[in-house]
Amino acid sequence: MLAPGQSAIAQRLEPPLSFEKKDDSVLSQLAISDSPEILCCITLYNESGSALLDSLAGIQRNINYLISIGRIDLANKITLCLIFDGRDCMSKSAIQLLENLNLYPTKPVSPKSHLHIFESQLSPKLLQQEIALQQSEAVAEAVESRSAPAETAASVLPRVLLCIKENNAGKLDSHHLFFAQLSPVLQPNYCVQMDVGSIPEAPSFYRLWQFLESHADAGGAIGSLIVPMPERSWHVVSLWQFGNFWLDALLFRPAESFSGYLSVLSGQLTMIRWRSLVGSETGLPQTQSPLTQYFRGLGPLNAFEANMFLAEDRVLGFGVATGKMPGWRLAYLPSVVTMTDVCVSLAELLRQRRRWINSAFACRLWVFAKMPGCLFDCDVAIAQKLGLLTAAPLYLLKTITEWFYPAISLTICWLIYSLCATRLAAAQLPVWPLQGLFVSSLMLLSVQLLLCLSDRLSERFWLANMAYGAIGLSAVIGILVMTGCYWLLAAIAGTLALIAGLLAVHSPQRIRAAAYIPAYFLIDAAMTLLMRTYAFWRVSDCSWGTKGLNEGTPRRQYQCYFVSLWLISNLLLGVTIFKAHWFSAAVVFAGLDLAFGLLGGTLSALQTLYQRLFRRISYE
């Protein structure tokens, strides 16, 4: 039973759902006049009210944009669904914000009900008052939308469904409530999946919707993710995240898109065609649909699956991209920009990236295992099979690079040292300072990794080591300049210039972000080694890692086998490279990932320029 006083909820949902996850709660039809065009889901746990305010402000700006271009009909067909994962987990600031916006129930909530649903409307006036009071810096970073007439904007009151689960059951359970219980009742044309704290820029909803409306074969579309610029250029945690998100948006996501297959429907902001999720024209979930394997993560899982379903958005993306006839494709729109939040400390960043790295690695292995079945399945469209085949080399390269990153990175360091030592000897300059720098750097890196693996890494000690590493890299660059190795420096400068050009094409208003890219590359190698080593070493930890969710069920036997295989294989590869003198091959292999990214980013930039100059297409 649902809590008393919750309007528009009856007793049953028909037909019954056929997912492996069974839910005792039964929902009935909500009291709405018609189905929403866009049903937007924001999942929350214990996030602050300011994070929720940022997301609501971003959505309101998108609604104002629709009003400003005369699409009031579409603005009136957007429904928001806020799902809180556990009533006792809600932060006080989030509750206070909901109360100030008149979204929180005035009557007491019955603890006997395990699900509470309340209907209301979001007032733009009250929301604007809250933005003015809190003066959110993140919202201020978002691109200003076109101003909508005040009277017209005030007349559009988006419907809000506030869903509060009595007990915490995880993010995937919240998505089960949204996709498997609410959406079949509401029957939207498009579903938007959005994380709290994400701020979609003004035209995002319209561009995603317009693209899906114009491309009947598109099952879903995503945009690029960015983070606020670092407040201090020496804050390495913010700087690395800033560069990492930008390079993903400019290089690696376009390269993946041009291969014909997207591996992930980003949880920060994704618009998905409802029919592509359920696998039917009726809009009702079928037994064999992308949602079926998506909610497999709610059942019993082994150690590998537990890691894999930490990236549930990748599982959902694969399900849509390999859905039965008609074949669906996933699209990447660089012009759709969403600002997301970042980790503020090294410890939080390590735990977050542990989850991302291990889950992405497991999902890629899972995709490779599923690929033969998809290629020989007659019900999978030819275009989908070609997309998988084209993307396979890129994903294989990423998988091998991640697994052998320690061996590859250390052999490249040795190659750089040998190059510098040879140049110094040829110039009749002393080599011993370089030898001391190289040995001390390796020792400090080893100590840093050991402290990291034992969770004793001090942020100050780590930052001091990063500064020492930056000094070492600067010394290497100085030696190359002094000894006339200009071809390598020209290649580095050309790469940075190309990235700056791509940034200027896709986001000319943020061209100043290019100033942070060189500093990012100075620290990226050490940061990546740290992240991947920490992730693989703690592969048995399948907890969320952030938001206080650090407890999981350790699987020691799985960790022992995984780590042993990883260490032994890296050792064997390192010895093989040294014995066979395959240093150049290691450099070429390591650079292929960046080369694919540069190629994909360049093609994406050329496509964007063509559309701006000749076709005038607004959604690209």
Side-chain angles (χ1 to χ4, degrees), residues 268-299:
Q268 284 84 352
L269 182 68
T270 297
M271 185 174 288
I272 314 173
R273 195 185 302 272
W274 172 242
R275 289 188 292 111
S276 71
L277 289 174
V278 296
S280 71
E281 294 292 331
T282 62
L284 296 176
Q286 301 296 301
T287 302
Q288 296 298 324
S289 70
L291 290 180
T292 307
Q293 59 185 9
Y294 182 53
F295 294 126
R296 166 72 181 85
L298 293 172

Side-chain angles (χ1 to χ4, degrees), residues 428-476:
Q428 296 183 345
L429 294 173
V431 182
W432 63 265
L434 178 65
Q435 294 173 338
L437 180 64
F438 182 74
V439 172
S440 60
S441 297
L442 286 181
M443 291 178 62
L444 283 174
L445 181 62
S446 301
V447 173
Q448 184 171 298
L449 289 175
L450 289 174
L451 291 175
C452 174
L453 297 181
S454 61
D455 272 338
R456 296 178 182 177
L457 180 60
S458 167
E459 191 154 346
R460 291 183 178 179
F461 175 77
W462 177 78
L463 291 176
N465 286 354
M466 293 297 292
Y468 184 83
I471 294 172
L473 286 176
S474 302
V476 168

Side-chain angles (χ1 to χ4, degrees), residues 300-320:
L301 302 174
N302 57 36
F304 177 83
E305 292 173 327
N307 272 292
M308 186 180 77
F309 276 99
L310 288 174
E312 75 285 341
D313 46 5
R314 292 180 179 270
V315 177
L316 185 62
F318 180 79
V320 174

Side-chain angles (χ1 to χ4, degrees), residues 54 133 183 201 210 295-296 368 376 394 436 445 496 552 592:
D54 290 344
L133 285 174
S183 296
E201 294 190 352
Q210 189 183 27
F295 294 126
R296 166 72 181 85
F368 285 132
F376 292 102
L394 179 61
L445 181 62
L496 295 176
L592 282 176

